């Protein structure tokens, strides 16, 4: 009986230790969440200031109806954007038109898998994290190009080409910077 009791106490002590590790892991995420909340509030304030300053320059009334002093204008516009009607092209390829933006968004969201959010908090701990991040984030221009091509409209297609070219021209220096840092760390 005494051995069983000792084993149970040992198991309970390990369980408490694991619980403390999880609590510490959650507490280590707290600064990141505070930072994200601060950035979100900062963006909302900057959008509000831009609207107020633009309104005063143009001698018109700025945003004032959505919340006190128009502070909720950006949230109202974001909500309006979410509930807008989805217009599909009549002559285009509807499946490609829907899949193209999805590929662009999903590739950006998947690239966050390998970014460490805390000391021991990584969504997918891979040994090739930086290279996988570069490869996944390079898929986004394909989605932009698909969305422009699938509408069967020359202006949309040229807009898709332009967006893809701009995205690629941004990714090339970013990739060189990340690879330079990675090679410096490996060496």
């Amino acid at each position: 009986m005494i051995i069983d009791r000792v084993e149970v106490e040992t198991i309970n002590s390990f369980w408490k230790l694991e619980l403390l590790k999880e609590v510490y892991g959650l507490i280590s995420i707290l600064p990141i969440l505070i930072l994200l909340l601060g950035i979100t509030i900062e963006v909302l304030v900057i959008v509000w200031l831009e609207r107020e300053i633009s309104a005063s320059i143009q001698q018109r009334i700025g945003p004032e109806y959505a919340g006190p002093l128009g502070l909720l204008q950006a949230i109202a516009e974001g909500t309006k954007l979410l509930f807008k009607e989805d217009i599909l092209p009549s002559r285009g390829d509807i499946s490609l038109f829907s899949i193209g933006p999805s590929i662009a968004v999903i590739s950006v969201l998947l690239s966050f898998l390998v970014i460490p959010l805390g000391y021991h908090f990584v969504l997918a701990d891979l040994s090739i994290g930086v290279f996988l991040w570069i490869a996944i984030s390079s898929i986004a221009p394909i989605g932009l190009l698909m969305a422009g091509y699938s509408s069967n409209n020359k202006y949309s297609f040229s807009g898709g080409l332009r967006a893809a070219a701009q995205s690629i021209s941004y990714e090339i220096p970013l990739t060189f910077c990340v690879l330079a840092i990675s090679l410096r760390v490996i060496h």
Side-chain angles (χ1 to χ4, degrees), residues 37-146:
L37 180 66
I39 290 171
T40 303
I41 291 172
E42 183 179 341
V43 166
L44 290 175
V45 168
I46 288 172
V47 167
W48 178 76
L49 280 174
E50 176 192 9
R51 291 173 178 275
E52 287 290 327
I53 292 169
S54 297
S56 66
I57 289 172
Q58 298 169 5
Q59 295 178 351
R60 61 178 174 81
I61 298 173
E64 61 181 19
Y65 298 111
L69 300 173
L71 292 174
L72 300 177
Q73 184 69 35
I75 295 172
E77 288 183 2
T79 307
K80 180 183 82 171
L81 181 65
L82 284 176
F83 292 112
K84 272 188 140 178
E85 180 184 6
D86 189 18
I87 299 173
L88 299 173
S90 60
R91 295 179 297 150
D93 189 354
I94 296 173
S95 61
L96 279 180
F97 191 78
S98 299
I99 291 172
S102 301
I103 288 175
V105 170
I106 289 171
S107 69
V108 170
L109 293 177
L110 281 177
S111 67
F112 282 102
L113 284 176
V114 294
I115 296 175
L117 302 174
Y119 186 68
H120 289 292
F121 187 67
V122 180
L123 297 177
D125 191 13
L126 303 171
S127 60
I128 57 167
V130 172
F131 302 110
L132 182 68
W133 175 69
I134 291 170
I136 289 176
S137 64
S138 297
I139 297 173
I142 296 171
L144 298 172
L145 196 57
M146 282 174 58

